[in-house]
Amino acid sequence: MLVDIQNLRIAFESRSGIFEAVRGVSLHIGTEKLGIVGESGSGKSLTARALMRLLPTNARVTADRMAFDGIDILNADEKAMLRIRGKRAGFILQDPKYSLNPVMTIGRQVTEAWKTHKGGGRKEAREAVIDLLAQVRIRDPHRVYDLYPHEVSGGMGQRIMIAMMLAPDPQLLIADEPTSALDATVQAEILRLMEDLVSRRGMGLLLISHDLPLVSHFCDRVAVMYAGRIVEELSAGSLAQAQHPYTRGLLNCLPSLIHPKSRLPVLNRDEAWLQS
Amino acid sequence: MAPVMIDVDQLRVRFGDNEVVKGVSFQVPSGGSFGIVGESGSGKSTVLRAMSGLNSAWTGRIAINGQSLGARRDRAFFRTVQMVFQDPYGSLHPRQTIDRILSEPLLVHGISDIERRIEKALAEVALPSTARFRYPHQLSGGQRQRVAIARALISEPETLLLDEPTSALDVSVQAEILNLLADLRERRHLTYILVSHNLAVVTHLCPQVGVMIGGEMVEQLSADDLRSGQTMHPHTAELRALSVDLEEVP
Amino acid sequence: MTAFSQQWLLTETPSSRSQAAWGRRYRAWLALRSNTLAMIGLVVIVTFVVLSLAAPLLATHDPGSQDLANRLARPSAAHWFGTDELGRDLYSRILYGGRVTLGMVIAVVVLVAPLGLAIGCIAGYFGGIVDRILMRVTDVFLAFPRLILALAFVAALKPGVESAILAIALTAWPPYARLARAETMTVRNSDYIAACRLTGAPSGRIILRHVAPLCIPSLIVRITLDMSSIIITAASLGFLGMGAQPPSPEWGAMIATTKRFIFEQWWVPTIPGIAIFMASLAFNFLGDGLRDVLDPKQR
């Protein structure tokens, strides 16, 4: 098992008291594609960040167990985390615009990522990077190598981020809303690319998104989060059989192109969902 | 057939040497809703900004209620046409209370009875009166978008320009806002132009849809035709296929 | 008075605009009060202002009366802070000097802040040719060394406190204009300013009511950081005979004229130095606190 989280809790202390944002999440990831779906504030991103220990310092994290490939994340020192973060687990964020250094060429950035983890000479690195760029299906990798981030589109930027994350051959890829800043046509391409690479390399994928139908198309399993808990976990193929009223509500309140609804059903949030 | 409310003819917008809207024409009947779909960079938002008067570097003809508009608009124009923006956080002044934000249009237009109108506006978008003296950052995304809609409606316009009004919101909140927009249209006989990248959202609200790519409106068709797949342009077919593909719940 | 009870002020559901406004002010005051440094600053400034205003009541001597037999005396029961090179009582001169120095500083700020804010906001909001003209004018003022320009102004007018104020004000506004312009440029294209334009409001109203308030917090911080340099410039002008005219007691001039005694009779220049130091520091503390309070997101 690649990731094993049991009873994860994340709390933030503020002047007005303690606010628990994640309240007992348990999940495990193998070499599979797991999607975490939830609305803003459901704690889905915090869960992923806790796994990489990327939370702000005022967050209080507790768990019965939180392990990455057998390494205890809760008690690992910062040196051990450096070996995991970016090396054995890659992290892709929503907007590539803010993740790439604007004054460095794309080639140099990817090369640097590659050399930090693999070492080796400049010429060797360049070839490897061109190969990586080709792997994320950039059509003209030699040209893109010398471009600056502002000279490429959002979709291309996200491909480059993926290439950077793949450089050290990680075992797990965490993608936090990787396509919500992209157009629908590009979004499908990027997700298909990620799906393909993850399957071919035998990696695990943790895809975090607010878009339930989208996630269920590209993942094997889906965990639905509400107010800091996983309210339902189901295989992506059986979304139609979802039991929890929240999951069903999320699906029902979407407007539909093929099945027009005169009025959209509104989600009535039940107090009981907070407990179960 | 209802009279024509909005008539856009051969609208062109230029940013420097770059023409981003290349001769777009469409008409919207009074009380009707027209949707514009397209991907980023297709020029769909630019059309809206030219219509609203935020961008004055355009040529062609824009007529609202039979009156041709110039690059500069008089104050009366802004009582008839209003706009709702995509990001409900960015469109509300961060240092003003909701009360101040809503009273601003009334003060500008010299409308009296501010107290009663603000209360009515908040009630109309189903916001609690406790929200009135809060700051935008103290409200949720959905509540903020309701404030933005209330601000647009408070000067009692006839036309509302909606620029991706729900794409920054959670899907459950999106449903509430779309229902609210549908109710308001019926109650106030509003004319909508809705810009979005989401076909399902556009067809939910608009019976007539225009598809834009690269600054051109390549196709105009009814929502029913779009549903049934009777499209002319390959880009429309592509967008439709992607949307349908995602809707099929396994 | 029940109308201003704490509960009435702090209610989460104010029933009228004035209640909400008073509640906001009260919360701002609470926030400021909980900021220890800002309160220290406020107390020091208020104390200084009160002491200066009450100088005729508190002074033990006439600030101008000389006693050459007793010059450069150590602090004693008769002269609490000692005497200066002409035997004048330092304590009384500090009190009266506060009137001149603090008065000058406040006058300069009152003149400079609105001017810099207006020019910066107008340039930033309109952009294009307006921006270019206003910023080139700003550059011209920035390019001259502050003191030299002030000297030229004072020389053209008649030397005195009023001229010094005017001269410092004229040379101090460009950085504020630059700052306000930069702040304005970041908000100019935001959706909320676009929404203001869509209400049909004229540009003047948008700048005054929507853009300028956003520039004020950083401007306040910048001004409080400049307080000490304004005092020093005033002192330099006084030293060159272009500012406050002797025997009028002005803190900067008091240092300037007695600095040669720093090794033997150190208290003579040090005491006005401490006064300047404390006033500048207090302004800094208060400014920092005010900036936090003025930003509702920080609360």
Side-chain angles (χ1 to χ4, degrees), chain C residues 140-178:
Chain C
V140 168
F141 277 88
L142 266 177
F144 280 102
R146 193 164 176 177
L147 192 60
I148 307 263
L149 195 60
L151 270 177
F153 271 115
V154 181
L157 305 163
K158 72 173 177 41
V161 175
E162 297 83 5
S163 316
I165 291 171
L166 210 60
I168 298 171
L170 274 169
T171 55
W173 66 267
Y176 304 125
R178 287 242 152 210

Side-chain angles (χ1 to χ4, degrees), chain B residues 5 51-52 64-65 67 69 72-82 105 108-111 152 155-159, chain C residues 197-202:
Chain B
M5 182 57 142
M51 292 179 67
S52 70
I64 290 186
N65 223 347
Q67 284 197 309
L69 299 173
R72 293 186 67 86
R73 313 287 160 82
D74 57 4
R75 200 171 295 177
F77 166 81
F78 295 108
R79 285 200 68 170
T80 58
V81 178
Q82 274 298 316
V108 168
H109 294 295
I111 300 170
S155 54
E156 299 185 338
E158 295 159 347
T159 300
Chain C
R197 287 168 62 197
L198 288 184
T199 60

